[in-house]
Amino acid sequence: MNVQTTSAINQLIQWGKYKEAIEEIEKYIQNDPEESLGYALMAKVYTQKDDYDKAIYWVEEALKKDPEDALAWELQVSIAYTQEKWREFNRLVDDAFRIFPTESHFYYLKANELSSRMKFKEAMEQMEQALRISPKYALYLANYSYLLAHLNEKEGSLQYEKRALQEEVEDSSVFMYLAWSADRRGDHKIALSYFENAIRLNPNNNQVRDEYLESLQKQYFFYRMLIYPSKMFAKNRYLFLVLWLVAAFLFRPLILLFIVLYIASHWLTKLLVHVKIFGWSFSQR
Amino acid sequence: MSSKDKNEKRKNLKVIQFDKDKNTLIESSQPKETFEDVGGLDEVKKKIKMSFILPLQQPEFFQAYGKEAGGSLLLYGPPGCGKTYLAKAIAGEIDANFVHLELQAILSMYVGQSEHNLHDVFEKAREQKPCVLFIDELDALGGNRHNMRQHHERMLVNQLLIELDGLHSFNEQVYVIGATNTPWYLDPALRRPGRFNHLVFIPPPTLEERETILSLKAQGKPQESLNLNKLAKKTNHFSGADLGQVIQDAIDVVLQKSLEVGELLPLTNDSLLKALKGRKPTTLEWFSSAKNYATFSDVNKDYQQVLDYIHENKVK
């Protein structure tokens, strides 16, 4: 492929000029239909447009031309991860480890999948592998800080937080991990400041917005008190369930009162945050 | 200059733009537009006149109050709402030539496909003065340097800053107008005084403007008596380009039917309403993004007027 053409297409994708990028890629595919990269770039455009059905179609076309096209593999694993198709993700990521053993991104995705199932120790092993390949990548350092916070290793978590910030201060994903990490350590004010950075950099991301607004809710002490049991659940779900069942049996009225207070505090803090950010207009969100 | 030449100058706008196939800047002549030709946008035109055109035409008034002429203008808003047309009208209004720097030319600077660099484009504008240098999709050329990993990308933004800073010394009678759909991606340095310090929001057309646009787009086509006011009422938030697409869709259907029956059939109210059913305003996606940036990321309150517009026009 002509290097200038590839650069031009990648530049258009980076600018978010997808219509123009698609036109350039179509011309490229017409000129060089046997080259897998054209199809993979088309998949990249549709992935960025969140049009995963079309992205998968183009990934398959790329892999027909070259079963080991690196971009097509990165995209198909990432799409399975984003769509939370975990069985497919695990099958694909295992193959990706075998074909691309030095590609750190796959270990990072696998670590995230494991931590979403609260398998933090296993997730750490995957992140350590990613960090061996890319030791200064801020996203991985921030992710590692988050995993350490989950394992109550406060000092280590703070150390990796510092390292991540030394490397990168303009990436919303880095700030998101650092915010979760701080939140996990109980540093709610620091968490809020990281969420503020994340939303300043990427206010269009739904997850960033929702988590920022939730972190504002957590600034209210009474709400933090009432969500404390959910933190216990995250730490030891079995012990929590046993305690909950015993409490439900012995103090049923108190449990009902707790549930009512929890729901009331959730909606009250949500209302307070909404007014703070959007004013009294309720058509804003 | 002969009266014929003067007349020619009044009627036509000299446009210089990048030709992708020839990889060079080419000159052409296009009919000149002025603010009179721009339907609606009265508030926008008033703001541009006050902040940009009158200081150039009557500098003594502005100097008396300590206001300097110059600086550059940044037009922003949803796509397809007439930013390029307005820039051409500004050139017509001050009787200047028009250098149009668009995405393909900017792209060629990034990937080294063109011999022309940014300095050449500014030089070309300086040669053609008085001249409006219109940089379309400014976000591509002047994106935030923090987000750029490549050295040459940052260099191009630095070069743009240098060229703009020459505004007082070398750029006399060169008026730079930028346009972007995503002003929040611009490097903050571009917004400092003397650079793109006049920010102008170009909203979607109003009801009356939509009716005018629809009638212009349908002009000269076979048609029955059309109730364009009714159609305009049903196209709230549509951009000018969206309205053009609705008319085009209706024409496609009518043309196909005409070919089937072998005679020219007119555009009807029914055909337009059917075409409208297949289209949604493309501006809504822009407003959704703009709202997020204005709410969460706008430290200087630059986009407050977008939030006000959303609120006043009940954009959902």
Side-chain angles (χ1 to χ4, degrees), chain B residues 95-315:
Chain B
D95 217 359
N97 295 313
F98 193 75
V99 174
H100 190 173
L101 182 58
E102 54 202 325
L103 189 66
Q104 285 298 342
I106 297 168
L107 186 63
S108 74
M109 291 173 193
Y110 271 94
V111 297
Q113 286 173 332
S114 168
E115 290 171 8
H116 290 276
N117 58 32
L118 191 58
H119 180 67
D120 291 338
V121 175
F122 270 83
E123 282 296 293
K124 193 81 183 170
R126 286 165 192 140
E127 282 167 21
Q128 302 292 329
K129 65 189 182 184
C131 181
V132 165
L133 169 55
F134 178 56
I135 308 176
D136 213 349
E137 318 240 22
L138 182 68
D139 50 300
L141 185 59
N144 194 329
R145 283 169 290 179
H146 283 303
N147 300 330
M148 294 177 179
R149 306 215 177 269
Q150 304 289 330
H151 175 68
H152 73 273
E153 293 177 41
R154 289 195 294 271
M155 288 299 290
L156 207 52
V157 183
N158 291 338
Q159 179 69 33
L160 176 62
L161 293 171
I162 291 167
E163 298 294 343
L164 287 171
D165 286 347
L167 215 60
H168 294 293
S169 47
F170 306 112
N171 293 356
E172 201 182 333
Q173 293 193 293
V174 174
Y175 313 111
V176 185
I177 300 175
T180 178
N181 303 333
T182 52
W184 37 85
Y185 290 151
L186 292 181
D187 194 288
L190 284 168
R191 301 289 325 283
R192 293 202 187 121
R195 295 170 184 165
F196 291 100
N197 47 345
H198 301 300
L199 196 64
V200 181
F201 172 52
I202 311 293
T206 59
L207 174 67
E208 292 77 24
E209 288 162 11
R210 290 198 299 276
E211 193 176 341
T212 308
I213 293 168
L214 287 166
S215 106
L216 284 170
K217 301 278 180 191
Q219 206 171 47
K221 317 286 185 308
Q223 57 188 275
E224 61 169 37
S225 173
L226 295 174
N227 186 350
L228 293 178
N229 182 267
K230 187 181 171 188
L231 191 64
K233 280 183 182 157
K234 286 178 179 283
T235 50
N236 207 9
H237 312 312
F238 275 59
S239 70
D242 291 338
L243 296 170
Q245 202 56 57
V246 170
I247 298 283
Q248 207 51 54
D249 288 352
I251 287 172
D252 287 347
V253 174
V254 171
L255 175 63
Q256 196 177 348
K257 280 185 186 163
S258 298
L259 290 168
E260 282 167 13
V261 298
E263 62 175 299
L264 284 181
L265 297 174
L267 270 177
T268 61
N269 287 315
D270 194 40
S271 63
L272 289 173
L273 289 172
K274 272 186 186 157
L276 179 61
K277 277 186 186 163
R279 293 277 165 192
K280 283 184 179 164
T282 57
T283 60
L284 295 183
E285 196 182 336
W286 184 89
F287 276 112
S288 168
S289 287
K291 186 174 73 180
N292 290 331
Y293 278 92
T295 307
F296 296 107
S297 189
D298 184 17
V299 183
N300 300 322
K301 300 280 170 209
D302 285 332
Y303 310 119
Q304 184 58 42
Q305 62 184 134
V306 176
L307 284 183
D308 293 344
Y309 181 91
I310 288 171
H311 189 62
E312 284 159 18
N313 292 275
K314 298 184 174 62
V315 181

Side-chain angles (χ1 to χ4, degrees), chain A residues 17 24 200 204 209 284, chain B residues 20 137 289 291-292 297:
Chain A
K17 312 283 181 196
E24 293 295 324
R200 179 180 54 80
N204 248 355
R209 276 203 312 280
Q284 290 267 350
Chain B
K20 197 189 163 204
E137 318 240 22
S289 287
K291 186 174 73 180
N292 290 331
S297 189

